[in-house]
Amino acid sequence: MKIYDLDGKELKDLDSKITTNMKIKIKNGQEEKEYVLVVKGDLNADGKVNVLDIMKLLQHVAETQATNQRDESKILKGAYLLAADINKDGKTGTPDIVYLLNLVSDLMTKYNGTISGDLPAYITKISPYKVDELGNPVEDSNGNLTY
């Protein structure tokens, strides 16, 4: 098993921070499978959950609900969209914003008004999904993400 950062470089340091959109490759004999890592709430791939992620989610929800011209650069895609579905209902919206606000508030309370640089282990949820050659999650014939 090998883990690759966002630039495609193999992580050698096992204490490195895991972020959304990193890749993991698992070799089983001659077969090698590649997965993308999703860290719930880490919408900007910095390995943290903080106000910057809330801003990304707010921008995404506003743009997806816009009735006029959308700014596609603010719409989350691929692993980042999966990381934004914090309540795991298959959609991104107000419930995810509320959940993320509460999570960041709880972190600030726990760390006396500051947010630690790294996510506590209990917050980091890694979900490996199969990805296509463009790095987008692969769905089965029923529209479910495949592992």
Side-chain angles (χ1 to χ4, degrees), residues 1-4 23-27 32-34:
M1 177 178 78
K2 295 180 181 179
I3 299 175
Y4 297 87
K23 305 267 187 307
I24 185 169
K25 292 183 181 180
I26 302 172
K27 193 169 188 173
E32 181 175 82
K33 292 185 179 184
E34 182 177 281

Side-chain angles (χ1 to χ4, degrees), residues 81-99:
L81 183 59
L82 294 172
D85 182 16
I86 298 168
N87 67 354
K88 301 177 188 176
D89 67 354
K91 303 176 275 190
T92 53
T94 304
D96 300 297
I97 294 169
V98 171
Y99 191 95

Side-chain angles (χ1 to χ4, degrees), residues 56-144:
K56 282 258 194 212
L57 184 54
L58 287 168
Q59 290 173 339
H60 168 78
V61 170
E63 288 302 319
T64 58
Q65 294 178 358
T67 55
N68 53 2
Q69 189 171 356
R70 293 182 182 179
D71 182 350
E72 291 294 321
S73 69
K74 294 181 181 176
I75 296 178
L76 299 169
K77 296 174 181 66
Y80 302 106
L81 183 59
L82 294 172
D85 182 16
I86 298 168
N87 67 354
K88 301 177 188 176
D89 67 354
K91 303 176 275 190
T92 53
T94 304
D96 300 297
I97 294 169
V98 171
Y99 191 95
L100 192 55
L101 283 166
N102 287 332
L103 179 60
V104 170
S105 175
D106 289 348
L107 283 172
M108 290 180 76
T109 301
K110 181 175 177 133
Y111 293 106
N112 298 318
T114 61
I115 297 176
S116 172
D118 298 320
L119 290 171
Y122 70 90
I123 292 174
T124 305
K125 305 274 188 212
I126 301 174
S127 304
Y129 297 101
K130 287 185 182 176
V131 294
D132 63 17
E133 60 277 355
L134 300 175
N136 296 311
V138 175
E139 296 179 353
D140 64 17
S141 59
N142 295 322
N144 299 313

